[in-house]
Amino acid sequence: MLAGKHILLIIGGGIAAFKSLDLIRRLRERGAEVTPVITKAGQEFVTPLSASGLAARKVYTELFDLTDEAEMGHIELSRSADLVVVAPATADLLGKMAGGLANDLASTLLMATDKRVLVAPAMNVRMWEHPACQRNVATLKGDGVLFVGPNEGDMACGEYGPGRMSEPLEIVAAVEAALKDGPLKGKHVLVTSGPTHEPIDPVRYIANRSSGAQGTAIARALSALGAEVTFVTGPADVPPPEGVHVVKVQSALEMLDAVENALPADAGVFAAAVADWRVASASDSKIKKDGKGSLPVLEFSENPDILKMVSQMGKGRPALVVGFAAETDDVIANATTKRKRKGCDWIVANDVSPDTGIMGGAENAVTLISEDGAEDWPRMSKDEVARALAARIAAALEK
């Protein structure tokens, strides 16, 4: 799907730059044209000759180069591509982008481009977690810059944690997502997924058995159809999809905040298994046994009904709101009642009784409930369910 696409690849100065050479090869395997730009620091790790040989194109390194400016000025270079990719995106490059600096070729291109920008951060874990870096990341996301990674793992410096650049194939998937054309192109879809964890004390929480697999598959399918997806996920068992904006939360209250911040959206798919209740006053310290056999008494408060809130909001309500109903008894009747009570447009209902193997399994059997009635779908993989639902959402939004 990258055939004929032109990628401007900015290679920053970090040990992860060696992956960018493989990234060039992977992009070209898929038909993309790649023009490399290597920063001065980047040339300490990879050579222009290596990048040029793999890209089969000229490599650009200097802002004040008379020949380059005469042949193709930096303004034209920044706008002739379909997508600008920064890999590795160092802390320095992220800071320059967030601050609007333009003091070398790479930062000038990033300021001058009118195309989407995808960054693959790579840096020491302490640098990634530094408040200044996180402020820059938040600013860039607010500006519409796309992120892939960073991953968590061993660092070249010997530390462990988030900061590793995503693998080349992960970046390729994010590039494909950023360049995709489909029926949902230009649409923003909000997807919630996974369970929520409601704290009892610092070491204990109340949760449910949701793996987040179905919500993740839905977000991936919507993105494949061209949607810009905001993916709000609780602590799921499966990793989030690439090419979407991921917001990780723990509790229902955190999920509510994330959903409110993600609106407006053209559609909302609320696949998360949000806990109905939370402990009213979670303990700040671990609750200990008293040695007398006494049991702790937990008082509960009702969690906010996120699906109902979005379904019944006035101005700013998504054109299509899709809820989920995981039931163990009277599935169709209970889900139909839930749709009316919540006020959503569709409910995706499924039977999660223990003997079905649905909860936490690889397959799903759902019934799509709308004002037109109930439509049973055959049992199939969660990816197939996601693709079918994404296609229905695209058709509904086209009307």
Side-chain angles (χ1 to χ4, degrees):
M1 67 182 291
L2 294 181
K5 299 297 184 181
H6 181 195
I7 308 300
L8 181 64
L9 175 62
I10 296 175
I11 302 175
I15 188 63
F18 80 91
K19 294 183 181 179
S20 298
L21 298 179
D22 188 34
L23 175 60
I24 294 173
R25 183 171 65 88
R26 299 294 186 177
L27 290 169
R28 294 200 66 213
E29 283 176 349
R30 289 154 177 80
E33 297 178 358
V34 182
T35 298
V37 173
I38 310 180
T39 67
K40 183 177 180 180
Q43 293 174 64
E44 298 291 332
F45 298 92
V46 297
T47 68
L49 182 61
S50 298
S52 177
L54 289 166
R57 294 176 73 93
K58 180 175 181 176
V59 173
Y60 295 85
T61 59
E62 298 295 334
L63 176 60
F64 300 110
D65 186 298
L66 182 60
T67 302
D68 290 347
E69 288 301 295
E71 293 177 352
M72 176 185 282
H74 61 267
I75 298 296
E76 176 60 28
L77 184 61
S78 71
R79 298 180 184 176
S80 61
D82 296 295
L83 181 71
V84 180
V85 177
V86 187
T90 61
D92 180 68
L93 276 172
L94 294 179
K96 286 181 177 179
M97 292 172 66
L101 300 182
N103 59 0
D104 61 2
L105 180 59
S107 57
T108 300
L109 292 174
L110 288 162
M111 277 288 287
T113 189
D114 58 355
K115 301 298 169 51
R116 301 190 80 182
V117 177
L118 169 70
V119 300
M123 65 196 73
N124 170 268
V125 59
R126 304 300 173 205
M127 297 173 71
W128 173 252
E129 293 176 343
H130 194 283
C133 183
Q134 290 304 305
R135 285 197 301 271
N136 291 335
V137 168
T139 296
L140 293 173
K141 287 183 176 179
D143 290 343
V145 173
L146 304 174
F147 278 71
V148 52
N151 292 341
E152 185 174 288
D154 292 317
M155 305 284 181
C157 59
E159 294 191 85
Y160 181 94
R164 287 170 56 98
M165 189 171 90
S166 298
E167 297 304 316
L169 288 179
E170 292 178 293
I171 300 174
V172 168
V175 169
E176 290 175 336
L179 290 173
K180 61 193 173 301
D181 289 311
L184 289 176
K185 185 175 182 180
K187 302 293 186 182
H188 175 212
V189 183
L190 166 64
V191 179
T192 68
S193 181
T196 62
H197 287 180
E198 309 300 328
I200 297 173
D201 61 22
V203 299
R204 302 181 181 92
Y205 57 83
I206 299 169
N208 56 62
R209 298 181 186 275
S210 173
S211 67
Q214 186 65 81
T216 297
I218 291 169
R220 185 185 303 113
L222 290 166
S223 178
L225 293 185
E228 177 187 343
V229 178
T230 298
F231 184 63
V232 179
T233 178
D237 295 337
V238 297
E242 297 294 340
V244 305
H245 176 44
V246 180
V247 182
K248 294 184 178 181
V249 300
Q250 291 285 324
S251 67
L253 293 177
E254 291 177 356
M255 183 168 285
L256 174 63
D257 287 340
V259 166
E260 291 177 333
N261 290 333
L263 294 172
D266 296 286
V269 181
F270 295 88
V274 182
D276 293 317
W277 305 281
R278 67 182 184 276
V279 176
S281 298
S283 175
D284 293 330
S285 302
K286 180 181 177 182
I287 300 173
K288 297 284 190 178
K289 296 179 180 179
D290 64 3
K292 301 177 182 179
S294 300
L295 299 178
V297 177
L298 301 179
E299 294 184 4
F300 291 89
S301 295
E302 189 171 355
N303 268 329
D305 192 327
I306 299 174
L307 174 60
K308 184 176 182 179
M309 179 206 75
V310 175
S311 297
Q312 299 185 10
M313 67 188 299
K315 184 179 179 181
R317 181 193 190 274
L320 180 67
V321 178
V322 183
F324 273 65
E327 304 287 350
T328 57
D329 304 287
D330 299 323
V331 175
I332 305 302
N334 285 333
T336 300
T337 300
K338 179 177 180 177
R339 189 188 81 83
K340 293 178 180 178
R341 185 175 69 253
K342 305 287 188 180
C344 56
D345 302 294
W346 301 347
I347 281 282
V348 179
N350 58 1
D351 186 344
V352 295
S353 301
D355 58 344
T356 66
I358 296 294
M359 186 68 80
E363 294 184 329
N364 208 347
V366 307
T367 300
L368 182 64
I369 298 174
S370 67
E371 62 179 5
D372 297 325
E375 177 185 335
D376 290 323
W377 291 5
R379 185 170 180 132
M380 47 189 166
S381 73
K382 290 183 176 179
D383 282 334
E384 291 174 312
V385 171
R387 288 192 289 269
L389 182 61
R392 285 293 185 89
I393 291 171
L397 292 180
E398 284 181 344
K399 294 180 180 178

